[in-house]
Amino acid sequence: MTFDDWRDWAAALADRLCEQGVITDPAWREVVTSVPRHMFVPEFHDDTFGLVGTGDPRWPELVYSDDTLVTQRKEHPDQPGFQWSTSSSTRPSLMLRMLHLLDVRHGMNVLEIGTGTGYNAALLCERLGSEHVTTVDIDPELTGAARARLAGAGYSPTVVTRDGVRGYAERAPYDRVITTVATERVPYTWVEQTRRGGIVLADVRPPGMTWAGALTRLTVAEDGTASGPLHTCTWGFMSARADVARPGIPQAFGIDATNTRSRTSEVGAESVHISGLSLLIWWCLDDITVFPGPDEIQISTADGSWAKVSKALPARVEHGGPSDIWAEVEHAHAWWTARGRPGVAVFGLTVTPEGQRFWLEAPDGETVPGPRLR
Ligand SMILES: C[S@@+](CC[C@H](N)C(=O)[O-])C[C@H]1O[C@@H](n2cnc3c(N)ncnc32)[C@H](O)[C@@H]1O
């Protein structure tokens, strides 16, 4: 594919990211200018999921825009007829923000989880040299295409097909691990495969309440645990697939309305969208799925508990199933209010072989309660 003036388009994108304050390191400006994004996205879906290919007049501008370009959609086997986005080339501003947070230096060994198109891997190769980059994706169709495109652009990182939750011990230890796919928990494998003092940069968020999550930048300590602050990122990555044929989508738990109870609450539906509080609600009800609506929301959990709650205050609450899950939200709201309504960036995360815990303000600060406050 030829696209003679692509360097002008790439330089214009890099300049825009500099103007926005996203690129502050001139070395990353150079990298964005040098990597041909168009070679990694010959075809993608537009906002209405129509296909945009090289022959489309919109193609060059969209390729070098600050947009996420959806490159793969699949039908979920449990939901025939519904297509879900399963891969994309992420918005450059988010990629560059993360690459700055990653704080890479020449000679570092980096693992990326979520190869997708290969463009972010290409940015890392351009900065570090291909021999220092390993990238993993669960989907063989994607790794095959990415490997070929990377080679076409002159890069040769190690591209591996596997569930990224396993990391890639064969090329460990890594100085940096970066994930471009969301997980609910940071698997200890990523920490284990990172050098002491190294960094794991992950997007932690639940599929059923994606806005509740955040980026987390963990530093691996001498004792093998990893801790670090959360960084606000309302619209992060698509959720990881546990199986290549199943998009990582929210679970739609059934609702049994035969024994509906009603009450009112001083905590309205908008609570689930407030930064910091939403993280707490997710962590208290860790299998929560939220269905937002214009006047009310519906939340449900795997045990069959559900609630419908109005936005207007005092809120009208209808609930059913084994427990009153809106009461959990009210407890979370009270905990959060008593601590001065902290936003998500006031929280942090620690990962140990036993699992992960969120904390407030500092690793030795207060542990965020959950799952289930009661
Ligand atoms: C937003 S895309 C990654 C974008 C990519 N870094 C790029 O530059 O194009 C997320 C990717 O994560 C992959 N993915 C989903 N679940 C995964 C898993 N369990 N392990 C590894 N990769 C996974 C998807 O197949 C998808 O390609």
Side-chain angles (χ1 to χ4, degrees):
M1 171 193 332
T2 56
F3 181 3
D4 293 338
D5 53 357
W6 71 266
R7 282 181 189 279
D8 297 339
W9 288 89
L13 171 62
D15 287 342
R16 282 199 301 280
L17 296 175
C18 290
E19 281 158 22
Q20 289 166 19
V22 174
I23 295 181
T24 53
D25 176 349
W28 280 121
R29 185 194 177 280
E30 199 50 44
V31 166
V32 173
T33 305
S34 308
V35 177
R37 192 180 189 210
H38 65 281
M39 290 185 70
F40 297 90
V41 281
E43 197 173 66
F44 51 86
H45 298 268
D46 65 14
D47 291 348
T48 56
F49 299 120
L51 273 179
V52 179
T54 51
D56 191 306
R58 295 170 297 167
W59 183 73
E61 192 171 352
L62 287 171
V63 165
Y64 287 100
S65 69
D66 186 23
D67 282 340
T68 293
L69 306 173
V70 173
T71 48
Q72 187 192 54
R73 286 171 59 76
K74 285 192 177 179
E75 188 175 273
H76 196 287
D78 299 340
Q79 299 188 18
F82 280 101
Q83 295 271 327
W84 298 91
S85 300
T86 45
S87 192
S88 62
S89 177
T90 309
R91 213 157 23 104
S93 55
L94 177 53
M95 275 186 276
L96 268 298
R97 179 180 169 210
M98 289 179 72
L99 290 170
H100 279 72
L101 279 173
L102 200 61
D103 188 25
V104 284
R105 285 184 292 283
H106 200 75
M108 283 187 168
N109 192 31
V110 177
L111 171 66
E112 180 197 36
I113 311 291
T115 310
T117 64
Y119 176 66
N120 196 51
L123 297 176
L124 284 165
C125 291
E126 179 68 26
R127 179 80 194 255
L128 298 171
S130 296
E131 67 278 23
H132 298 300
V133 180
T134 303
T135 180
V136 175
D137 201 291
I138 197 169
D139 193 328
E141 190 186 310
L142 296 172
T143 47
R147 198 178 286 113
R149 287 172 191 154
L150 282 157
Y155 305 111
S156 53
T158 302
V159 183
V160 183
T161 307
R162 63 156 56 172
D163 186 343
V165 165
R166 294 166 56 205
Y168 191 62
E170 291 84 334
R171 301 248 305 158
Y174 300 100
D175 298 286
R176 302 286 186 262
V177 174
I178 177 171
T179 76
T180 56
V181 62
T183 54
E184 289 179 82
R185 285 169 174 71
V186 175
Y188 186 68
T189 346
W190 299 346
V191 175
E192 212 172 20
Q193 293 177 12
T194 303
R195 260 182 232 293
R196 302 293 194 255
I199 290 168
V200 176
L201 182 61
D203 188 43
V204 185
R205 65 187 67 241
M209 194 180 177
T210 53
W211 58 88
L215 297 176
T216 178
R217 185 182 189 274
L218 308 170
T219 303
V220 180
E222 282 304 322
D223 65 0
T225 66
S227 292
L230 301 189
H231 294 262
T232 310
C233 181
T234 312
W235 304 112
F237 291 93
M238 55 184 63
S239 295
R241 310 183 231 176
D243 167 337
V244 68
R246 290 175 177 269
I249 57 165
Q251 277 184 274
F253 303 120
I255 281 189
D256 177 359
T258 49
N259 191 16
T260 300
R261 286 147 274 162
S262 302
R263 63 184 181 86
T264 57
S265 174
E266 291 308 315
V267 176
E270 303 287 7
S271 319
V272 300
H273 285 288
I274 298 175
S275 168
L277 177 55
S278 58
L279 177 90
L280 192 59
I281 293 170
W282 159 41
W283 202 235
C284 294
L285 294 166
D286 69 338
D287 51 6
I288 189 171
T289 296
V290 180
F291 294 96
D295 305 317
E296 64 173 20
I297 59 157
Q298 179 185 300
I299 66 170
S300 52
T301 50
D303 66 355
S305 302
W306 61 271
K308 286 184 185 179
V309 182
S310 69
K311 289 186 178 170
L313 286 174
R316 180 177 31 79
V317 181
E318 287 186 349
H319 64 97
S323 69
D324 176 358
I325 49 175
W326 197 251
E328 305 282 346
V329 174
E330 290 168 328
H331 288 309
H333 189 278
W335 191 95
W336 175 76
T337 304
R339 282 147 189 88
R341 302 178 168 236
V344 76
V346 184
F347 293 87
L349 187 70
T350 293
V351 178
T352 69
E354 287 71 47
Q356 72 181 28
R357 75 177 181 89
F358 288 103
W359 38 258
L360 197 60
E361 285 174 357
D364 57 0
E366 196 172 2
T367 292
V368 171
R372 306 248 165 172
L373 275 169
R374 285 162 305 142

